[in-house]
Amino acid sequence: MNTVRAIQKLNKRELEEGITPEGSWHTDYRDTAFVYVGGLPFELSEGDIIAVFSQFGEPVWIKLARDKETGKSRGFCWLKYEDQRSTDLAVDNLGGATLMGRVLRVDHTRYKPRDDEDMRDNTMGELDADDQGRRKRRKTESDSESDEDRPLFKEEVELEKLLRDVDDEDPMKGAMVHKKREEVETALKKYEKAKRKEKRHRPRRHHRDKSIERDGHRSRSRDRRHRDGSHERARHRDRSGERRYLKGRSHDGDRSRRERDRRRHDSSDDEGSRHKRSSRRDRSISGSRSPT
């Protein structure tokens, strides 16, 4: 509370004396965009704290102190703004403010990160090794798309209306704007996902032409191989038939020779038997004619 009272006294004296911003005590912290925040309600998460402090600028990094064993908030954090001038506004306007029954202590600080500490933008959640590069690519892709390439989201219309109609003095405006920006981000991601899916399913004409040409070449090769194989099979059949024909003729010749030999043998046997019968008949006749 002493720090909060001291800051309030400094600000009151500067207002009374009409000190210009160049002579303000804030100029001693022009080299740092960090603020220290104490007295935080233990129920608040990093997203809740960002929603509160985004009223005065764009937070780009936050570290909420948590218990190593339980992981519960310890009630204080360090927060970095994109623009150093936002720290002056946060210190002057949120220092001493009451949030959920607790008094906030907000002050400038020169935060010294550890050697292994990742100081990239983590306001959208914990980062992996390549998250920042992917986020930059997505941002570049979304920025490259003009308004006429995609429809205006309902969330974007509501965000513009919120920024235009809600009074800047409303303490809940920052949280409402932060929530609506998250909805816009979600809608944009869905749209980009649908566009990528559409590109994946879109037919690629040159690839199809190449595949047709490749398939045509394969079919011609198959036809050539089939045609060559048909000629080879035909020649093989011709040779096989010729061999069978010659072999059959040789067998027929052997049978015909054997048949002729058998006929000759049979005819010679018949002639011999006829000769024997005629000789026996002649002898019987001559015997019957001889005198007794």
Side-chain angles (χ1 to χ4, degrees), residues 105-136:
R105 174 193 168 190
V106 184
D107 196 3
H108 296 283
T109 184
R110 291 181 175 88
Y111 181 81
K112 294 182 179 180
R114 300 190 307 269
D115 294 336
D116 59 342
E117 194 165 11
D118 191 351
M119 299 301 297
R120 296 177 296 171
D121 187 350
N122 64 351
T123 55
M124 298 301 293
E126 294 296 330
L127 294 177
D128 295 332
D130 299 330
D131 276 356
Q132 189 179 26
R134 287 197 295 267
R135 184 178 296 178
K136 287 182 178 179

Coordinates of all heavy atoms in Angstrom, one line a residue, residues 105-136:
R105 N -1.6 -3.5 -7.0 CA -0.3 -2.7 -7.0 C 0.3 -2.8 -8.3 O 0.7 -3.9 -8.7 CB 0.6 -3.2 -5.9 CG 1.9 -2.5 -5.9 CD 2.9 -3.3 -5.0 NE 4.3 -2.8 -5.2 CZ 5.4 -3.4 -4.7 NH1 5.3 -4.5 -4.0 NH2 6.6 -2.9 -5.0
V106 N 0.4 -1.7 -9.0 CA 1.0 -1.7 -10.4 C 2.1 -0.7 -10.4 O 1.9 0.4 -10.0 CB -0.1 -1.4 -11.4 CG1 0.5 -1.5 -12.8 CG2 -1.3 -2.3 -11.3
D107 N 3.3 -1.2 -10.9 CA 4.4 -0.3 -10.9 C 5.4 -0.7 -12.0 O 5.4 -1.8 -12.5 CB 5.2 -0.4 -9.6 CG 6.2 0.8 -9.4 OD1 6.2 1.7 -10.3 OD2 6.9 0.8 -8.3
H108 N 6.2 0.3 -12.4 CA 7.2 0.0 -13.5 C 8.2 -1.0 -12.9 O 8.5 -1.0 -11.6 CB 7.9 1.3 -13.9 CG 7.1 2.3 -14.6 ND1 6.7 2.1 -15.9 CD2 6.5 3.4 -14.1 CE1 5.9 3.2 -16.2 NE2 5.8 4.0 -15.1
T109 N 8.8 -1.8 -13.7 CA 9.9 -2.7 -13.3 C 10.8 -3.0 -14.5 O 10.4 -3.0 -15.6 CB 9.3 -4.0 -12.7 OG1 10.3 -4.9 -12.2 CG2 8.5 -4.8 -13.8
R110 N 12.0 -3.3 -14.1 CA 13.0 -3.8 -15.1 C 13.2 -5.3 -14.9 O 14.0 -5.7 -14.2 CB 14.3 -3.0 -15.0 CG 14.2 -1.5 -15.4 CD 15.6 -0.8 -15.2 NE 15.5 0.6 -15.7 CZ 15.1 1.6 -14.9 NH1 14.8 1.4 -13.6 NH2 15.0 2.8 -15.4
Y111 N 12.4 -6.0 -15.7 CA 12.4 -7.5 -15.5 C 13.7 -8.0 -16.3 O 14.0 -7.7 -17.4 CB 11.2 -8.1 -16.1 CG 11.1 -9.6 -16.0 CD1 10.7 -10.2 -14.8 CD2 11.4 -10.4 -17.1 CE1 10.6 -11.5 -14.7 CE2 11.4 -11.8 -16.9 CZ 11.0 -12.3 -15.7 OH 10.9 -13.7 -15.6
K112 N 14.4 -8.9 -15.6 CA 15.6 -9.5 -16.1 C 15.3 -11.0 -16.4 O 15.2 -11.8 -15.4 CB 16.8 -9.4 -15.2 CG 17.2 -7.9 -15.1 CD 18.5 -7.8 -14.2 CE 18.9 -6.4 -14.0 NZ 20.1 -6.2 -13.2
P113 N 15.1 -11.4 -17.6 CA 14.7 -12.8 -17.8 C 15.9 -13.8 -17.6 O 17.1 -13.3 -17.7 CB 14.3 -12.9 -19.3 CG 15.0 -11.7 -19.9 CD 15.1 -10.6 -18.8
R114 N 15.6 -15.0 -17.3 CA 16.7 -16.0 -17.2 C 17.3 -16.3 -18.5 O 16.7 -16.0 -19.6 CB 16.1 -17.3 -16.5 CG 15.6 -17.1 -15.1 CD 15.3 -18.4 -14.5 NE 14.4 -19.2 -15.4 CZ 13.1 -19.3 -15.4 NH1 12.5 -18.5 -14.5 NH2 12.5 -20.0 -16.2
D115 N 18.4 -17.0 -18.5 CA 19.1 -17.3 -19.8 C 18.3 -18.2 -20.7 O 18.3 -18.2 -21.9 CB 20.5 -17.9 -19.5 CG 21.4 -16.9 -18.9 OD1 21.2 -15.7 -19.1 OD2 22.4 -17.3 -18.2
D116 N 17.5 -19.2 -20.0 CA 16.8 -20.2 -20.7 C 15.3 -19.8 -20.9 O 14.5 -20.6 -21.3 CB 16.9 -21.5 -20.0 CG 16.4 -21.5 -18.6 OD1 16.3 -20.3 -18.1 OD2 16.1 -22.5 -18.0
E117 N 14.9 -18.5 -20.5 CA 13.5 -18.1 -20.5 C 13.1 -17.7 -21.9 O 13.8 -16.9 -22.6 CB 13.3 -17.0 -19.5 CG 11.8 -16.8 -19.2 CD 11.6 -15.9 -17.9 OE1 12.6 -15.4 -17.4 OE2 10.5 -15.9 -17.5
D118 N 12.0 -18.1 -22.3 CA 11.4 -17.8 -23.7 C 10.6 -16.5 -23.5 O 9.6 -16.4 -22.8 CB 10.5 -18.9 -24.2 CG 10.2 -18.7 -25.6 OD1 10.5 -17.7 -26.2 OD2 9.6 -19.7 -26.2
M119 N 11.1 -15.4 -24.2 CA 10.5 -14.1 -24.1 C 9.6 -13.8 -25.3 O 9.2 -12.7 -25.6 CB 11.5 -13.0 -24.0 CG 12.4 -13.2 -22.7 SD 11.4 -13.2 -21.2 CE 10.7 -11.5 -21.3
R120 N 9.2 -14.8 -26.1 CA 8.3 -14.6 -27.2 C 6.9 -14.3 -26.8 O 6.6 -14.6 -25.6 CB 8.3 -15.8 -28.2 CG 9.7 -16.0 -28.9 CD 9.6 -17.2 -29.7 NE 9.4 -18.5 -29.0 CZ 9.1 -19.6 -29.5 NH1 9.1 -19.8 -30.8 NH2 9.0 -20.7 -28.7
D121 N 6.1 -13.8 -27.7 CA 4.7 -13.5 -27.3 C 3.9 -14.8 -26.9 O 3.8 -15.7 -27.7 CB 4.0 -12.9 -28.6 CG 2.6 -12.4 -28.3 OD1 2.1 -12.7 -27.2 OD2 2.0 -11.7 -29.1
N122 N 3.5 -14.8 -25.6 CA 2.8 -16.0 -25.1 C 1.4 -15.6 -24.6 O 0.8 -16.4 -23.8 CB 3.6 -16.6 -24.0 CG 3.7 -15.7 -22.8 OD1 3.3 -14.5 -22.9 ND2 4.2 -16.2 -21.7
T123 N 0.9 -14.5 -25.1 CA -0.5 -14.1 -24.7 C -1.6 -14.9 -25.3 O -2.7 -14.8 -24.8 CB -0.7 -12.6 -25.1 OG1 -0.5 -12.5 -26.5 CG2 0.3 -11.7 -24.3
M124 N -1.3 -15.8 -26.3 CA -2.3 -16.7 -26.8 C -2.1 -18.1 -26.3 O -2.7 -19.0 -26.8 CB -2.2 -16.7 -28.3 CG -2.5 -15.3 -29.0 SD -4.1 -14.7 -28.5 CE -5.1 -15.8 -29.4
G125 N -1.3 -18.3 -25.3 CA -1.0 -19.6 -24.8 C 0.5 -20.0 -24.8 O 1.3 -19.2 -25.4
E126 N 0.8 -21.1 -24.3 CA 2.2 -21.6 -24.3 C 2.6 -21.9 -25.7 O 1.9 -22.4 -26.5 CB 2.4 -22.8 -23.4 CG 2.1 -22.6 -21.9 CD 3.1 -21.6 -21.3 OE1 4.3 -21.6 -21.8 OE2 2.8 -20.9 -20.4
L127 N 3.9 -21.5 -26.0 CA 4.4 -21.7 -27.3 C 5.3 -23.0 -27.4 O 6.0 -23.3 -26.5 CB 5.3 -20.5 -27.7 CG 4.5 -19.2 -27.9 CD1 5.5 -18.1 -28.2 CD2 3.5 -19.3 -29.0
D128 N 5.2 -23.7 -28.6 CA 6.1 -24.7 -28.9 C 7.3 -24.1 -29.6 O 7.4 -22.9 -29.8 CB 5.5 -25.8 -29.7 CG 4.4 -26.5 -28.9 OD1 4.5 -26.5 -27.7 OD2 3.4 -27.0 -29.5
A129 N 8.2 -25.0 -30.1 CA 9.4 -24.5 -30.7 C 9.1 -23.7 -32.0 O 9.8 -22.7 -32.3 CB 10.3 -25.7 -31.1
D130 N 8.1 -24.2 -32.8 CA 7.9 -23.6 -34.1 C 6.6 -22.8 -34.1 O 6.1 -22.4 -35.2 CB 7.8 -24.6 -35.2 CG 9.1 -25.4 -35.3 OD1 10.1 -24.8 -35.0 OD2 9.1 -26.6 -35.7
D131 N 6.0 -22.5 -32.9 CA 4.7 -21.8 -32.9 C 4.8 -20.4 -33.5 O 3.9 -20.0 -34.2 CB 4.1 -21.8 -31.5 CG 3.4 -23.1 -31.2 OD1 3.3 -23.9 -32.1 OD2 2.9 -23.2 -30.0
Q132 N 5.8 -19.7 -33.1 CA 5.9 -18.3 -33.5 C 6.0 -18.2 -35.0 O 5.4 -17.4 -35.7 CB 7.1 -17.7 -32.9 CG 7.1 -16.1 -33.1 CD 8.3 -15.5 -32.5 OE1 9.3 -16.1 -32.3 NE2 8.2 -14.2 -32.1
G133 N 6.8 -19.1 -35.6 CA 7.0 -19.1 -37.1 C 5.6 -19.4 -37.8 O 5.3 -18.8 -38.8
R134 N 4.9 -20.4 -37.2 CA 3.6 -20.8 -37.8 C 2.6 -19.6 -37.6 O 1.8 -19.3 -38.5 CB 3.1 -22.0 -37.2 CG 3.8 -23.3 -37.6 CD 3.0 -24.5 -37.2 NE 2.8 -24.6 -35.8 CZ 3.6 -25.4 -35.0 NH1 4.6 -26.0 -35.5 NH2 3.4 -25.5 -33.7
R135 N 2.7 -18.9 -36.5 CA 1.8 -17.8 -36.2 C 2.1 -16.7 -37.2 O 1.1 -16.0 -37.8 CB 1.9 -17.3 -34.8 CG 0.9 -16.2 -34.4 CD 1.1 -15.8 -33.0 NE 0.7 -16.9 -32.1 CZ 0.8 -16.8 -30.8 NH1 1.2 -15.7 -30.2 NH2 0.5 -17.8 -30.0
K136 N 3.4 -16.4 -37.5 CA 3.7 -15.4 -38.4 C 3.2 -15.7 -39.8 O 2.8 -14.9 -40.6 CB 5.2 -15.1 -38.4 CG 5.7 -14.4 -37.1 CD 7.2 -14.2 -37.2 CE 7.7 -13.4 -36.0 NZ 9.1 -13.2 -36.0

